[in-house]
Amino acid sequence: MVQGLVTALSSAGVRHLFDPNTIWLFELDEGTALEQLPLLHPQIVVLTNLFRDQLDRYADIDTLQSNLIIALRRCSESGYPCTIVVNADDPLSCAIADTVQLPSYYYGIDGFDTGQTSTLDSSNRILAGELAVCPVCGEPLVYSIHSFAQFGHWSCPQKHIHRPQPDISADVHVDQAGRMALQIQTRSMDHRINTSLPLFGLYNAYNALAAIAALVHLEPSAIEQANAAWADVLPVFGRFERLQGRQVYLVLTKNPIGMDLALEEALHFHGPKRFLFAIGDDYADGEDLSWLWDAHVERLSEHRSVVALATYGSGAQRMALRLAAAGFSDEAITVLHTSATLSRWVAQSPVTCFILSTYTLLQPIRKQLLASAPVLTNAQAKKERITSPFKPPASHPVPSTKRIPLRIVHLYPQRMGLYGDRGNVAMLRRRAKAVGWQVEITEIEHFEPDLLLKADIIVIGGGPDTAERDVAKEFFNNRNEWHAAVEDGVVLLGICGGYQLLGERYLTLSGEVMRGAGIQPFETIAGRTRMVGRIAIRNTMGDPKVYFVGFENHSGRTYGVPAAMGRVLYGHGNNGEDGQEGFFYRNTIGTYLHGPVLALNPWLTDWLLAAALERRGITCALEDTPVDPLAQKAHEQYLKRILGPAVREPKRPSWYNAS
């Protein structure tokens, strides 16, 4: 915030404030850079990465990119143009540099020897990370070398754009102990240095290279001093900070890529290990926890070294459900309700314990644990380096079922999967398995009309306007196929952008019209402000005593819905005016509820499965099976958070008996 900048500058004193030899270093929040950057008149701006982070506060990647471009242009227009130090391995950061056309200095990693498993598919596209596409042809970028997220040696498959040649680069080797060795070279000086980095994680190699790149750009001869400075580097607050006297590590995690990297690093540690997920959903954490479903938590269930799991905080029940959907039994997950039980769970751990925590919980947990176990000193940390090898994943047999598999199609999981929409597919799989049905899940990034009628359930998520624009063309060009599938009773769940494209059209702020499938004659008009926050609605598809809950985050206002999914009790809904939320027609449901919606509403999961089976002519027996207990607890906790403790819900909706 601007207030923070003023406080930092004023506390430094007048002598430093006007000293031309003083270098000021500021870490700016991506959500406020548009306001802060032009005020600072920076000489250098370092762009490290663009990741989705707290979408309810900062909006999507497209918005962040746009704001940074505007801020940098304002710096130039004010008469104080700056140099941009850019991560060449991140195509999203490079796109900013290409657009503003300010002097740019690039850094990147040329070679990786990390022992990590590949995260590329057969077409050399990334499997996890932010979607990066060519601005010319719209095709997803491909990678010859990939490190993590969208980082690597990237190019357009049609050769329109490619990774720029770094001015300063490094080759990175990570041994089995997780220690990093870097060989850094500069193009302009033809200079090489060898260094070791006493921090965990390949992301810290990028951070180190970014720091050296900025320093070398200011003073080329300072590269040797920078190398010597690594000897005194220690993990700082919440960055794999270790507590003295025990194997307990504190890790701040607040977005899916950050959690993926933390888990990847923790699993390098030798021997049995425990994980505690402290998840809050206060404003500073990001109130929407859909991102938990975008993190690849499944990797934990692939390692037999994981011996215990616990969750804590206001998001404890939702995190427990996420772990269960990742392959752990419900009984293997402990939900801790008080700080005292948390302390006991950690103290009783005879093995290495990793505490992955969001912002608001990390400080009190750290304070509580430090009362009996202070942080390691610099000298102690140097004596206790991790020397254990990475434990390879163990395979787990999947029990078979006797029923004909349900075919679930997840449309556009990368382009339209911004809000943890994979979680809806995971919940369908989890519930089907619990009641004895197999499922076949197919992910499709380009529309295939033949699959519509062959599918039992289709799930479409939400995405930024740039992705929705391309998807809209495929929806409109295949309107007849969409209508045929819906009228035939194929079960369809559309979330946010996926919901909007089921209607006639979406009108953007610029006046552009995106034509949709036209399943029903409703339309969406973009607003200048976003409707963001928790939402609770009363079911209008059947039993009115059933509530649905979630988190909405949309600028579009949807009007003209013939039949809504629910009546808004708290929140905005379709447009913030008529009190309706979502849309309902035959076996098709559209909604603005994130969460993801099926992780917070087990009744809705069962409704979709029952409708799919009924279309096949299979008698539904869901009323004989208890509803998903973890999902029900997550629903009840969230509903009471919204509407208060007096809420009473029926044990089972009436549609169970009706079907």
Side-chain angles (χ1 to χ4, degrees):
M1 301 298 179
V2 173
Q3 299 94 316
L5 292 179
V6 173
T7 301
L9 291 167
S10 60
S11 63
V14 176
R15 182 173 65 86
H16 289 296
L17 191 60
F18 296 101
D19 183 358
N21 296 316
T22 299
I23 297 176
W24 292 87
L25 177 64
F26 296 96
E27 181 184 4
L28 299 186
D29 190 297
E30 61 264 48
T32 56
L34 178 61
E35 179 185 24
Q36 294 173 335
L37 263 182
L39 296 176
L40 292 171
H41 304 312
Q43 183 179 351
I44 292 178
V45 174
V46 180
L47 297 179
T48 56
N49 60 66
L50 277 180
F51 297 149
R52 77 186 81 176
D53 190 8
Q54 302 179 0
L55 297 175
D56 52 319
R57 298 174 66 192
Y58 303 138
D60 55 45
I61 295 294
D62 287 356
T63 303
L64 290 180
Q65 267 189 319
S66 176
N67 287 345
L68 286 170
I69 289 169
I70 294 171
L72 289 168
R73 282 176 171 166
R74 287 177 179 172
C75 290
S76 179
E77 293 165 358
S78 67
Y80 295 90
C82 58
T83 296
I84 316 174
V85 175
V86 188
N87 182 355
D89 291 358
D90 179 17
L92 301 181
S93 295
C94 290
I96 295 175
D98 289 343
T99 303
V100 298
Q101 295 184 337
L102 289 169
S104 299
Y105 189 81
Y106 290 93
Y107 67 92
I109 296 179
D110 282 339
F112 308 92
D113 180 12
T114 65
Q116 295 179 357
T117 56
S118 174
T119 50
L120 298 176
D121 65 12
S122 58
S123 301
N124 281 347
R125 291 183 172 88
I126 57 173
L127 297 174
E130 306 304 340
L131 178 65
V133 300
C134 173
V136 180
C137 64
E139 282 293 310
L141 301 179
V142 295
Y143 290 75
S144 58
I145 296 178
H146 181 241
S147 55
F148 64 86
Q150 71 272 14
F151 287 9
H153 295 195
W154 50 270
S155 63
C156 165
Q158 305 300 325
K159 312 300 181 185
H160 292 125
I161 59 172
H162 58 83
R163 171 187 182 254
Q165 180 66 35
D167 297 286
I168 184 168
S169 59
D171 290 303
V172 180
H173 172 77
V174 182
D175 66 13
Q176 288 185 324
R179 295 170 298 210
M180 283 189 290
L182 283 69
Q183 185 180 72
I184 301 173
Q185 50 268 345
T186 61
R187 273 204 301 170
S188 58
M189 298 171 60
D190 192 24
H191 189 81
R192 290 175 181 266
I193 61 170
N194 293 316
T195 186
S196 60
L197 195 61
L199 298 172
F200 300 118
L202 189 57
Y203 53 91
N204 275 320
Y206 277 105
N207 291 337
L209 201 55
I212 289 182
L215 182 62
V216 169
H217 181 69
L218 284 172
E219 180 52 62
S221 62
I223 191 167
E224 294 292 348
Q225 294 95 311
N227 182 29
W230 297 134
D232 296 323
V233 173
L234 272 179
V236 296
F237 170 65
R239 270 73 173 183
F240 275 90
E241 178 186 26
R242 184 182 166 191
L243 301 186
Q244 180 181 341
R246 57 173 104 167
Q247 292 283 95
V248 178
Y249 293 85
L250 302 176
V251 187
L252 173 66
T253 181
K254 57 192 180 70
N255 58 44
I257 293 174
M259 181 173 282
D260 279 354
L261 294 172
L263 294 177
E264 179 76 27
E265 197 57 43
L267 290 172
H268 275 78
F269 283 61
H270 179 61
K273 48 191 76 74
R274 285 181 159 203
F275 286 86
L276 168 60
F277 294 87
I279 306 298
D281 66 349
D282 291 325
Y283 179 75
D285 302 307
E287 295 175 328
D288 183 9
L289 295 184
S290 299
W291 66 270
L292 295 174
W293 294 82
D294 286 324
H296 189 48
V297 181
E298 283 74 11
R299 70 185 61 196
L300 289 179
S301 64
E302 299 168 354
H303 287 257
R304 296 191 185 278
S305 62
V306 179
V307 297
L309 297 165
T311 64
Y312 175 75
S314 55
Q317 289 294 160
R318 280 168 280 172
M319 189 66 219
L321 178 60
R322 176 69 187 96
L323 292 169
F328 291 97
S329 67
D330 296 8
E331 296 75 20
I333 305 160
T334 302
V335 178
L336 305 171
H337 298 287
T338 66
S339 58
T341 56
L342 182 148
S343 292
R344 285 197 296 271
W345 193 88
V346 174
Q348 293 167 358
S349 175
V351 302
T352 304
C353 180
F354 297 95
I355 301 175
L356 278 66
S357 176
T358 53
Y359 272 124
T360 58
L361 295 173
L362 187 62
Q363 182 66 30
I365 289 174
R366 182 178 185 270
K367 182 178 180 181
Q368 186 170 343
L369 295 179
L370 285 180
S372 58
V375 174
L376 286 180
T377 65
N378 195 358
Q380 289 167 329
K382 287 181 179 180
K383 292 179 181 179
E384 300 191 30
R385 297 295 185 202
I386 303 301
T387 58
S388 55
F390 174 67
K391 300 292 287 184
S395 60
H396 295 273
V398 179
S400 61
T401 57
K402 298 180 180 179
R403 298 181 183 271
I404 300 173
L406 282 171
R407 294 180 293 266
I408 299 175
V409 173
H410 188 182
L411 274 179
Y412 314 112
Q414 279 198 308
R415 287 190 282 174
M416 301 287 284
L418 189 61
Y419 298 96
D421 298 304
R422 291 182 187 275
N424 291 314
V425 177
M427 289 306 300
L428 288 168
R429 181 201 295 117
R430 169 177 163 83
R431 181 58 171 158
K433 179 181 176 182
V435 296
W437 294 310
Q438 278 187 329
V439 295
E440 291 179 356
I441 298 173
T442 305
E443 295 188 347
I444 303 175
E445 283 298 336
H446 291 282
F447 191 80
E448 299 178 25
D450 292 343
L451 278 177
L452 287 185
L453 286 173
K454 294 178 181 178
D456 293 302
I457 302 175
I458 300 171
V459 178
I460 317 163
D465 281 356
T466 51
E468 191 171 339
R469 182 178 296 109
D470 292 334
V471 170
K473 297 174 184 176
E474 295 189 1
F475 268 67
F476 181 70
N477 291 336
N478 295 277
R479 285 166 68 102
N480 292 337
E481 288 78 5
W482 276 112
H483 280 268
V486 169
E487 295 301 326
D488 191 60
V490 173
V491 177
L492 175 58
L493 175 65
I495 312 294
C496 202
Y499 162 31
Q500 295 167 351
L501 294 181
L502 296 175
E504 283 291 342
R505 65 174 191 160
Y506 175 69
L507 182 64
T508 70
L509 278 175
S510 64
E512 177 187 3
V513 177
M514 301 181 197
R515 300 295 302 277
I519 301 302
Q520 290 282 278
F522 60 85
E523 68 173 4
T524 302
I525 302 172
R528 294 193 176 278
T529 58
R530 299 189 71 81
M531 294 189 282
V532 182
R534 300 182 180 96
I535 179 171
I537 65 174
R538 189 185 295 277
N539 174 40
T540 55
M541 300 186 299
D543 192 338
K545 293 180 291 183
V546 174
Y547 300 103
F548 297 122
V549 296
F551 195 95
E552 56 184 334
N553 186 353
H554 56 105
S555 61
R557 275 76 166 157
T558 300
Y559 299 93
V561 171
M565 171 187 170
R567 186 76 184 170
V568 177
L569 301 175
Y570 182 93
H572 303 282
N574 282 342
N575 48 52
E577 301 170 22
D578 59 20
Q580 293 186 325
E581 206 294 314
F583 133 82
F584 171 56
Y585 174 71
R586 295 180 65 82
N587 288 340
T588 298
I589 293 175
T591 179
Y592 281 115
L593 269 61
H594 300 301
V597 62
L598 298 187
L600 290 171
N601 300 284
W603 311 119
L604 188 57
T605 306
D606 284 2
W607 188 93
L608 295 171
L609 288 171
L613 291 168
E614 188 174 326
R615 174 174 174 258
R616 280 196 179 189
I618 299 174
T619 303
C620 174
L622 283 170
E623 66 272 15
D624 299 328
T625 307
V627 73
D628 187 327
L630 287 179
Q632 185 176 15
K633 288 178 182 178
H635 170 88
E636 291 170 352
Q637 183 187 56
Y638 202 73
L639 183 64
K640 289 175 182 177
R641 189 172 177 84
I642 299 174
L643 299 181
V647 173
R648 295 291 183 269
E649 289 189 272
K651 292 184 177 180
R652 193 176 295 280
S654 60
W655 68 55
Y656 270 67
N657 297 325
S659 59

